[in-house]
Amino acid sequence: MKQVEIQLIRNATLKLSYAGKTILVDPMLSPKNSFMSFVVPNQNLNPTKDLPFSIEKITQDIDAVLLTHSHPDHFDQKAMEVLDKDLPFYTQPADNELVKNANFTQVESISDTASFYDINIVRTSGKHGPAEILPQLGEVSGFVLKATDYPTIYIVGDCIWDDEIEANIEKFNPEIIITNSGGAIFMGKDRILMDEKETIKVAKKAPNAQIISVHIESLDHCKVTRESLKAAFNRENLEIFIPKDGESLTL
């Protein structure tokens, strides 16, 4: 099995070096405190941390962009401005027009599957919180990346744990699972991301997979910390990778 490199930029923004290509996932490139708080009305408090590198370094050698959904903590105004408009840009159907309206020229909407050179990209679905608030939060996707001689990667996206996520793990049997585990709270009430307990459920469902958790310590409505998540996994004697901003993992 050939190795892959996964670099956390910040929040859910990742650079994946996979099957000879480099894919930028969920680009949020705004500086610290430049867009709206998700907790305090009418204040710009997000993101809560600066980028670990310059935008030029982050966007260097990118072959494509992959977007799970278009909330500003996954695709922001700065990304719309600075990314090469001619990059292949893969989206869920719900965000196809938004990305095209941002003047990207090679937008492909993935209903089920797409191919990017030797990489097969499979769209998965999930729920960005409990059923009663889903109309407010909109549609989100995850993606499974597959290529010959490379580990299968499941990018879960902004999904809480449920039967759908469990079924995706059973269906694709990924060697690497990337979870968004910040435990974000919507409007001070409903949790809309996995927390420590749900991330543990992922690990127990896929005991042979390498779990990588991101979307932590970058937004003001995310309650899980790297320390709290690591401590929860230690109590269960489970392994997890929780990269720091800018950190790369070779797996």
Side-chain angles (χ1 to χ4, degrees):
M1 191 75 71
K2 295 181 180 179
Q3 290 184 317
V4 304
E5 183 177 342
I6 300 172
Q7 182 180 41
L8 172 64
I9 303 300
R10 179 185 58 185
N11 197 50
T13 306
L14 303 165
K15 281 180 84 169
L16 305 182
S17 297
Y18 187 75
K21 299 297 177 183
T22 300
I23 300 173
L24 185 66
V25 179
D26 285 355
M28 177 183 73
L29 302 177
S30 294
K32 180 180 177 180
N33 300 153
S34 61
F35 65 78
M36 63 180 181
S37 167
F38 298 139
V39 177
V40 183
N42 304 315
Q43 291 196 37
N44 285 348
L45 301 178
N46 281 314
T48 59
K49 293 186 176 180
D50 270 321
L51 291 167
F53 311 118
S54 69
I55 288 176
E56 290 75 17
K57 182 173 180 179
I58 292 165
T59 57
Q60 185 177 9
D61 300 324
I62 294 299
D63 296 305
V65 180
L66 182 63
L67 182 64
T68 63
H69 67 298
S70 59
H71 287 173
D73 57 318
H74 294 257
F75 185 45
D76 59 5
Q77 186 63 40
K78 179 59 72 172
M80 293 182 195
E81 293 171 2
V82 304
L83 289 174
D84 182 349
K85 300 299 185 184
D86 294 326
L87 279 170
F89 202 124
Y90 294 91
T91 76
Q92 62 176 3
D95 294 325
N96 186 55
E97 287 305 311
L98 181 147
V99 177
K100 285 184 176 179
N101 289 339
N103 297 317
F104 290 90
T105 63
Q106 296 192 60
V107 184
E108 182 168 349
S109 171
I110 304 178
S111 296
D112 298 302
T113 65
S115 294
F116 179 61
Y117 292 89
D118 295 329
I119 305 169
N120 186 37
I121 306 171
V122 183
R123 177 175 168 260
T124 58
S125 55
K127 299 176 182 64
H128 198 352
E132 59 270 20
I133 64 170
L134 290 182
Q136 295 171 266
L137 290 167
E139 190 171 356
V140 299
S141 294
F143 293 101
V144 174
L145 305 183
K146 299 191 289 184
T148 302
D149 297 328
Y150 284 86
T152 297
I153 302 176
Y154 177 22
I155 303 167
V156 177
D158 273 13
C159 302
I160 58 173
W161 171 264
D162 64 1
D163 291 346
E164 198 165 14
I165 304 304
E166 186 173 18
N168 288 336
I169 294 171
E170 291 178 357
K171 179 178 179 179
F172 296 104
N173 191 29
E175 284 91 359
I176 298 171
I177 302 176
I178 302 173
T179 66
N180 292 351
S181 297
I185 304 298
F186 179 67
M187 302 296 287
K189 179 183 177 184
D190 296 297
R191 183 171 51 76
I192 59 173
L193 287 182
M194 291 187 191
D195 59 6
E196 297 94 341
K197 290 181 180 179
E198 291 194 348
T199 309
I200 285 170
K201 290 181 180 180
V202 173
K204 288 184 174 179
K205 181 64 183 180
N208 297 319
Q210 294 173 307
I211 310 299
I212 301 171
S213 289
V214 299
H215 207 309
I216 297 170
E217 296 179 0
S218 299
L219 302 167
D220 63 354
H221 67 329
C222 287
K223 304 304 179 183
V224 173
T225 66
R226 289 179 171 91
E227 183 178 355
S228 70
L229 184 57
K230 183 63 175 177
F233 267 69
N234 286 343
R235 287 193 293 270
E236 298 286 337
N237 292 315
L238 295 170
E239 292 292 325
I240 186 172
F241 295 98
I242 312 172
K244 299 176 183 177
D245 293 354
E247 184 176 0
S248 293
L249 303 172
T250 301
L251 303 171

Coordinates of all heavy atoms in Angstrom, one line a residue, residues 165-207:
I165 N -23.9 7.3 8.7 CA -22.4 7.2 8.8 C -21.9 5.8 9.1 O -20.9 5.4 8.5 CB -21.9 8.2 9.9 CG1 -22.5 9.6 9.6 CG2 -20.4 8.2 10.0 CD1 -22.1 10.2 8.2
E166 N -22.6 5.1 9.9 CA -22.2 3.8 10.2 C -22.3 2.9 9.0 O -21.4 2.1 8.7 CB -23.2 3.2 11.3 CG -22.8 1.8 11.8 CD -23.6 1.3 12.9 OE1 -24.7 1.9 13.2 OE2 -23.2 0.4 13.6
A167 N -23.3 3.1 8.2 CA -23.5 2.3 6.9 C -22.4 2.7 5.9 O -21.9 1.8 5.2 CB -24.8 2.6 6.3
N168 N -22.0 3.9 5.9 CA -20.9 4.3 5.0 C -19.6 3.6 5.4 O -18.8 3.2 4.5 CB -20.7 5.8 5.0 CG -21.8 6.6 4.3 OD1 -22.5 6.1 3.5 ND2 -22.0 7.9 4.7
I169 N -19.3 3.5 6.6 CA -18.1 2.8 7.1 C -18.2 1.3 6.7 O -17.2 0.8 6.2 CB -17.9 3.0 8.6 CG1 -17.6 4.5 8.9 CG2 -16.8 2.1 9.1 CD1 -17.6 4.8 10.4
E170 N -19.3 0.7 6.9 CA -19.5 -0.7 6.5 C -19.3 -0.9 5.0 O -18.7 -1.8 4.5 CB -20.9 -1.2 6.9 CG -21.1 -1.3 8.4 CD -22.5 -1.8 8.8 OE1 -23.3 -1.9 7.8 OE2 -22.7 -1.9 10.0
K171 N -19.9 0.0 4.2 CA -19.8 -0.1 2.7 C -18.4 0.1 2.2 O -18.0 -0.7 1.3 CB -20.8 0.9 2.1 CG -20.8 0.9 0.6 CD -21.8 1.9 0.1 CE -21.9 1.9 -1.5 NZ -22.9 2.9 -2.0
F172 N -17.7 1.1 2.6 CA -16.5 1.5 2.0 C -15.2 0.9 2.7 O -14.2 0.9 2.1 CB -16.3 3.0 1.9 CG -17.4 3.6 1.0 CD1 -18.5 4.3 1.5 CD2 -17.3 3.5 -0.4 CE1 -19.4 4.8 0.7 CE2 -18.2 4.0 -1.2 CZ -19.3 4.7 -0.7
N173 N -15.4 0.5 4.0 CA -14.3 -0.1 4.7 C -13.0 0.7 4.6 O -12.0 0.2 4.2 CB -14.1 -1.6 4.3 CG -13.1 -2.3 5.3 OD1 -13.1 -2.0 6.5 ND2 -12.4 -3.3 4.7
P174 N -13.1 2.0 4.9 CA -11.9 2.9 4.7 C -10.7 2.6 5.6 O -10.9 2.2 6.8 CB -12.4 4.3 4.9 CG -13.6 4.1 5.9 CD -14.2 2.7 5.5
E175 N -9.5 2.7 5.1 CA -8.3 2.6 6.0 C -8.1 3.9 6.7 O -7.4 3.8 7.8 CB -7.1 2.3 5.1 CG -7.0 0.8 4.6 CD -7.7 0.6 3.3 OE1 -8.2 1.6 2.7 OE2 -7.7 -0.5 2.8
I176 N -8.5 5.0 6.2 CA -8.4 6.3 6.9 C -9.7 7.0 6.9 O -10.4 7.1 5.9 CB -7.3 7.2 6.1 CG1 -6.0 6.5 6.1 CG2 -7.3 8.6 6.8 CD1 -5.0 7.2 5.2
I177 N -10.1 7.5 8.1 CA -11.3 8.2 8.3 C -11.0 9.6 8.9 O -10.4 9.7 10.0 CB -12.3 7.5 9.2 CG1 -12.6 6.1 8.6 CG2 -13.6 8.3 9.4 CD1 -13.5 5.2 9.5
I178 N -11.5 10.6 8.2 CA -11.3 12.0 8.7 C -12.6 12.5 9.3 O -13.6 12.6 8.5 CB -10.7 12.9 7.6 CG1 -9.4 12.4 7.1 CG2 -10.5 14.3 8.2 CD1 -8.9 13.1 5.9
T179 N -12.7 12.8 10.6 CA -13.9 13.3 11.2 C -13.8 14.8 11.5 O -12.7 15.2 11.9 CB -14.2 12.5 12.4 OG1 -13.2 12.8 13.4 CG2 -14.3 11.0 12.2
N180 N -14.9 15.5 11.4 CA -15.0 16.8 11.9 C -15.6 16.8 13.3 O -16.8 16.6 13.5 CB -15.8 17.7 11.0 CG -15.2 17.9 9.6 OD1 -14.0 17.6 9.4 ND2 -15.9 18.5 8.7
S181 N -14.8 16.9 14.3 CA -15.1 16.5 15.7 C -15.1 17.7 16.7 O -14.9 17.5 17.9 CB -14.2 15.4 16.2 OG -14.3 14.3 15.4
G182 N -15.4 18.9 16.2 CA -15.4 20.0 17.1 C -16.6 20.2 18.0 O -16.5 21.0 18.9
G183 N -17.6 19.3 17.9 CA -18.7 19.4 18.8 C -19.4 20.8 18.8 O -19.9 21.2 19.8
A184 N -19.5 21.4 17.6 CA -20.1 22.7 17.5 C -21.6 22.7 17.9 O -22.3 21.8 17.7 CB -20.0 23.2 16.0
I185 N -21.9 23.8 18.6 CA -23.3 24.1 19.1 C -23.9 25.2 18.3 O -23.4 26.3 18.1 CB -23.3 24.4 20.6 CG1 -22.5 23.4 21.4 CG2 -24.7 24.6 21.1 CD1 -23.2 22.0 21.4
F186 N -25.1 24.9 17.7 CA -25.8 25.8 16.9 C -26.8 26.6 17.7 O -27.7 26.0 18.4 CB -26.6 25.1 15.8 CG -27.4 25.9 14.8 CD1 -26.8 26.8 14.0 CD2 -28.8 25.8 14.8 CE1 -27.5 27.6 13.1 CE2 -29.5 26.6 13.9 CZ -28.9 27.5 13.1
M187 N -26.7 27.9 17.7 CA -27.6 28.8 18.4 C -27.7 28.5 19.9 O -28.7 28.6 20.5 CB -29.0 28.8 17.8 CG -29.1 29.1 16.3 SD -28.6 30.8 15.9 CE -30.1 31.7 16.6
G188 N -26.6 28.1 20.4 CA -26.5 27.8 21.8 C -27.3 26.6 22.3 O -27.4 26.4 23.5
K189 N -27.8 25.8 21.4 CA -28.7 24.7 21.8 C -28.3 23.3 21.2 O -28.0 22.4 21.9 CB -30.1 25.1 21.3 CG -31.1 24.0 21.7 CD -32.5 24.4 21.1 CE -33.5 23.3 21.4 NZ -34.9 23.7 20.8
D190 N -28.3 23.2 19.9 CA -28.2 21.9 19.2 C -26.7 21.6 18.8 O -26.1 22.5 18.1 CB -29.1 21.8 18.0 CG -30.6 21.9 18.4 OD1 -31.0 21.0 19.1 OD2 -31.2 22.9 18.0
R191 N -26.3 20.4 19.0 CA -24.9 20.0 18.6 C -25.0 19.6 17.1 O -25.9 18.8 16.7 CB -24.3 18.9 19.4 CG -22.9 18.5 19.0 CD -22.3 17.6 20.1 NE -23.2 16.5 20.3 CZ -23.3 15.4 19.5 NH1 -22.7 15.4 18.4 NH2 -24.1 14.4 19.9
I192 N -24.1 20.2 16.3 CA -24.2 19.9 14.8 C -22.9 19.3 14.3 O -22.8 19.1 13.1 CB -24.5 21.3 14.1 CG1 -23.4 22.3 14.4 CG2 -25.9 21.8 14.5 CD1 -23.5 23.6 13.6
L193 N -22.0 18.9 15.1 CA -20.8 18.2 14.7 C -20.6 17.0 15.7 O -21.0 17.1 16.9 CB -19.5 19.0 14.7 CG -19.3 20.1 13.7 CD1 -18.0 20.8 13.9 CD2 -19.4 19.5 12.3
M194 N -19.8 16.0 15.3 CA -19.4 15.0 16.3 C -18.7 15.6 17.4 O -18.0 16.6 17.3 CB -18.6 14.0 15.6 CG -19.3 13.1 14.6 SD -18.2 11.8 14.0 CE -19.1 11.2 12.6
D195 N -18.9 15.0 18.6 CA -18.1 15.3 19.8 C -17.2 14.1 20.1 O -17.0 13.2 19.3 CB -19.0 15.7 20.9 CG -20.0 14.6 21.3 OD1 -19.9 13.4 20.8 OD2 -20.9 14.8 22.2
E196 N -16.7 14.1 21.4 CA -15.8 13.0 21.8 C -16.5 11.7 21.7 O -15.9 10.7 21.2 CB -15.3 13.3 23.2 CG -14.4 14.5 23.4 CD -15.2 15.8 23.8 OE1 -16.5 15.7 23.6 OE2 -14.6 16.7 24.3
K197 N -17.7 11.6 22.2 CA -18.4 10.3 22.3 C -18.7 9.8 20.9 O -18.5 8.6 20.6 CB -19.7 10.4 23.1 CG -19.4 10.7 24.6 CD -20.8 10.8 25.3 CE -20.5 11.0 26.8 NZ -21.8 11.1 27.6
E198 N -19.1 10.6 20.0 CA -19.4 10.2 18.7 C -18.2 9.8 17.9 O -18.2 8.9 17.0 CB -20.3 11.2 17.9 CG -21.7 11.3 18.6 CD -22.6 12.1 17.7 OE1 -22.2 12.7 16.7 OE2 -23.9 12.1 18.0
T199 N -17.1 10.5 18.1 CA -15.9 10.2 17.4 C -15.4 8.8 17.9 O -14.8 8.0 17.1 CB -14.8 11.2 17.6 OG1 -15.3 12.5 17.3 CG2 -13.6 11.0 16.8
I200 N -15.6 8.5 19.1 CA -15.2 7.2 19.7 C -16.1 6.1 19.0 O -15.6 5.0 18.7 CB -15.4 7.2 21.2 CG1 -14.2 7.9 21.8 CG2 -15.5 5.7 21.7 CD1 -14.4 8.2 23.3
K201 N -17.3 6.4 18.7 CA -18.2 5.5 18.0 C -17.6 5.1 16.6 O -17.7 4.0 16.2 CB -19.6 6.0 17.9 CG -20.4 6.0 19.2 CD -21.8 6.6 19.0 CE -22.5 6.6 20.4 NZ -23.9 7.1 20.2
V202 N -17.1 6.2 15.9 CA -16.5 5.9 14.6 C -15.3 5.0 14.8 O -15.2 4.0 14.0 CB -16.0 7.3 14.0 CG1 -15.2 7.0 12.8 CG2 -17.2 8.2 13.7
A203 N -14.5 5.2 15.8 CA -13.3 4.4 16.0 C -13.6 3.0 16.3 O -13.0 2.0 15.9 CB -12.4 5.0 17.1
K204 N -14.7 2.8 17.1 CA -15.1 1.4 17.5 C -15.7 0.7 16.3 O -15.6 -0.5 16.2 CB -16.0 1.5 18.7 CG -15.3 1.8 20.0 CD -16.2 1.8 21.2 CE -15.4 2.0 22.5 NZ -16.3 2.0 23.7
K205 N -16.4 1.5 15.5 CA -17.0 0.8 14.3 C -15.9 0.4 13.3 O -16.1 -0.5 12.5 CB -18.0 1.8 13.6 CG -18.7 1.3 12.4 CD -19.6 0.1 12.7 CE -20.2 -0.5 11.5 NZ -21.1 -1.6 11.8
A206 N -14.8 1.2 13.2 CA -13.8 0.9 12.3 C -12.4 0.7 13.0 O -11.5 1.5 13.0 CB -13.6 2.0 11.3
P207 N -12.3 -0.5 13.7 CA -11.1 -0.7 14.6 C -9.8 -0.8 13.8 O -8.8 -0.6 14.5 CB -11.5 -2.0 15.3 CG -12.4 -2.7 14.4 CD -13.3 -1.6 13.8

